[in-house]
Amino acid sequence: MTKPEVLLLENIHPVATDVFERNDVLVHTRPGSLAEDDLIEALQGKTMVGIRSNTKVTERVLDACPDLRAIGAFCIGTNQIDLAAAAARGVAAFNAPYSNTRSVVELVIGEIIALARRLPEKTEKMHAGVWDKSAQGSHEVRGRTLGIIGYGNIGTQLSNLAESMGLRVIFFDTADRLAHGNARRVATMEQLLEEADVVSLHVDGRPGNAGMFGAAQFAQMKPRSLFINAARGMVVDDVALREHILSGHIAGAALDVFPVEPKAQGDEFESALRGLPNVILTPHVGGSTQEAQEEIGYFVSGKLTRYHAGGSTELSVNLPEVPVPALTTGSRVALLHHNVPGVLASVNQVLAEQEANVTAQYLSTRGEQGYVVTDVETALSDAAIAGLRDAESTIWLRTHHA
């Protein structure tokens, strides 16, 4: 039997390769991201693909790669994947929503201190041989107000660490979020911008967030406040930020993400923010610690291999979630179908006609799709499998054997 194959792009941690190889998956690796045509060519015959933030899996890619069953985003965000198109074709997508949370938070904490003390300018002058021992513009962060926009996994952990350092924390989120510690929710983003000495963005990459922070929002921030974006590049108007830094309204900024980022290591980075005083620019490394990347490598490769080997869609971001245990005896029938009435009844009718003894059955729906996984003591006949596979409601059917 031919081994399944996975393509890993963008320097995914080698622990992922170890996980795939232990599960008898043939691994191909590329160091950088691939453009659409190159990705299509590289994915021919591949069952799975692992990417980070720079590789775009579009509807065209999905149409041109019929063997592809699963996509692993070895990062938090999934806006680089056309999730709806993948779901419509029955291609599962997984990500790592928690694995690099601490790494991002520690970077932001470090940037808050560095900007408040104007360390970028100090170190630049020292490298140029200039001894500038002055407290001008340098402040402690204790007693300052941190405003967090987006109070999810990263925002809440940032809130906890910031409070332990003596910062007051306020936050704004469009979803209902429980305040941690002494953090205080504010009713509007405008209120947050008026009160915060430091504004840190932690929103996701949904299309509605594109361009949400521009000239109007920078103008509403307190004079001489600090700005941090470790969320998504497309959220912020970098040209507007440049203007507000040059005017002195914004005292400093740190950015780890950008609207357009180089595709490969060593490519030139272009930005309106280059060369500005008290501005920290980092190459999308918020989650790039050895600890985080190793954890992400384990986590996402584990989700992909469990999906391929046993049909588990636990924590899938686009298919119905059905967490199933490893199959130890008998056979498993996994059926992804259109979410219409009568599918489960049809499956159980086939099982009854086969006199199949069902040992477990799992079902979930998500939007227009449903997913049912059935474990039986003995394999179903080819005719029964064909009948289920050919049903009008079926998207795909796969069998697994212990």
Side-chain angles (χ1 to χ4, degrees):
M1 188 174 179
T2 304
K3 279 187 177 184
E5 299 183 39
V6 62
L7 174 65
L8 300 180
L9 302 173
E10 303 185 66
N11 296 309
I12 289 169
H13 196 282
V15 72
T17 296
D18 295 339
V19 172
F20 284 118
E21 290 179 344
R22 285 201 305 270
N23 285 274
D24 208 28
V25 176
L26 184 61
V27 179
H28 305 266
T29 61
R30 299 279 187 94
S33 60
L34 293 177
E36 191 175 56
D37 287 340
D38 295 327
L39 182 60
I40 288 172
E41 181 180 354
L43 281 178
Q44 297 308 305
K46 307 300 188 298
T47 308
M48 296 172 278
V49 62
I51 62 174
R52 293 177 71 184
S53 57
N54 256 353
T55 300
K56 306 294 188 288
V57 181
T58 63
E59 184 172 16
R60 178 169 172 257
V61 169
L62 293 162
D63 280 338
C65 303
D67 296 320
L68 190 64
R69 292 188 178 185
I71 304 162
F74 286 72
C75 52
I76 294 177
T78 56
N79 54 299
Q80 71 276 40
I81 304 168
D82 190 330
L83 294 176
R89 291 155 181 78
V91 178
F94 300 89
N95 69 335
Y98 315 114
S99 299
N100 64 0
T101 301
R102 178 71 181 204
S103 296
V104 175
V105 169
E106 287 189 3
L107 177 67
V108 172
I109 290 290
E111 290 172 336
I112 292 172
I113 296 171
L115 292 174
R117 299 293 296 272
R118 302 192 73 87
L119 297 185
E121 293 167 307
K122 298 292 186 187
T123 189
E124 182 180 7
K125 287 183 178 180
M126 290 291 284
H127 280 288
V130 178
W131 184 264
D132 180 21
K133 189 177 185 296
S134 167
Q136 182 70 31
S138 181
H139 300 278
E140 293 182 358
V141 299
R142 179 180 53 175
R144 303 283 174 169
T145 298
L146 169 63
I148 301 173
I149 299 175
Y151 204 65
N153 297 321
I154 294 175
T156 51
Q157 189 165 159
L158 174 60
S159 175
N160 295 333
L161 290 187
E163 270 203 35
S164 72
M165 295 170 52
L167 283 151
R168 293 188 294 266
V169 177
I170 59 176
F171 70 91
F172 171 74
D173 200 305
T174 55
D176 289 332
R177 304 286 190 184
L178 178 67
H180 287 214
N182 296 311
R184 174 170 59 89
R185 172 191 286 275
V186 295
T188 65
M189 188 164 68
E190 289 73 21
Q191 182 183 350
L192 181 144
L193 298 179
E194 291 171 0
E195 293 187 30
D197 299 297
V198 183
V199 173
S200 190
L201 299 188
H202 300 284
V203 299
D204 61 27
R206 70 188 67 181
N209 285 337
M212 66 169 281
F213 215 96
Q217 288 71 38
F218 287 119
Q220 289 168 350
M221 289 174 62
K222 290 176 66 173
R224 305 302 295 166
S225 56
L226 305 174
F227 176 77
I228 296 174
N229 182 20
R232 300 289 186 275
M234 56 83 166
V235 169
V236 175
D237 182 344
D238 287 353
V239 174
L241 174 57
R242 175 186 175 86
E243 293 170 356
H244 282 80
I245 291 172
L246 290 175
S247 73
H249 181 70
I250 304 298
L255 294 98
D256 186 52
V257 289
F258 306 90
V260 178
E261 298 181 358
K263 288 192 173 296
Q265 190 87 345
D267 287 357
E268 184 178 2
F269 165 67
E270 296 181 358
S271 172
L273 301 172
R274 285 173 52 181
L276 295 180
N278 205 33
V279 171
I280 300 171
L281 303 177
T282 50
H284 206 144
V285 294
S288 294
T289 60
Q290 287 297 308
E291 295 85 355
Q293 291 306 306
E294 182 173 359
E295 177 59 30
I296 290 170
Y298 271 122
F299 187 88
V300 180
S301 59
K303 293 300 177 191
L304 289 170
T305 53
R306 282 191 286 276
Y307 170 69
H308 184 268
S312 176
T313 54
E314 183 180 15
L315 294 184
S316 169
V317 295
N318 67 331
L319 295 188
E321 278 196 66
V322 178
V324 294
L327 186 65
T328 56
T329 61
S331 297
R332 173 171 291 169
V333 179
L335 175 67
L336 183 70
H337 58 87
H338 298 292
N339 189 13
V340 295
V343 174
L344 185 59
S346 298
V347 171
N348 289 333
Q349 178 64 32
V350 170
L351 297 172
E353 291 172 355
Q354 289 279 299
E355 297 183 350
N357 185 29
V358 176
T359 57
Q361 193 167 53
Y362 314 87
L363 171 68
S364 180
T365 60
R366 186 179 203 157
E368 298 180 353
Q369 294 179 326
Y371 185 46
V372 57
V373 178
T374 306
D375 291 348
V376 293
E377 284 188 345
T378 56
L380 298 182
S381 69
D382 291 343
I385 294 296
L388 291 172
R389 182 175 283 122
D390 295 340
E392 187 176 349
S393 60
T394 296
I395 298 174
W396 53 249
L397 180 145
R398 293 170 191 150
T399 57
H400 307 272
H401 306 285

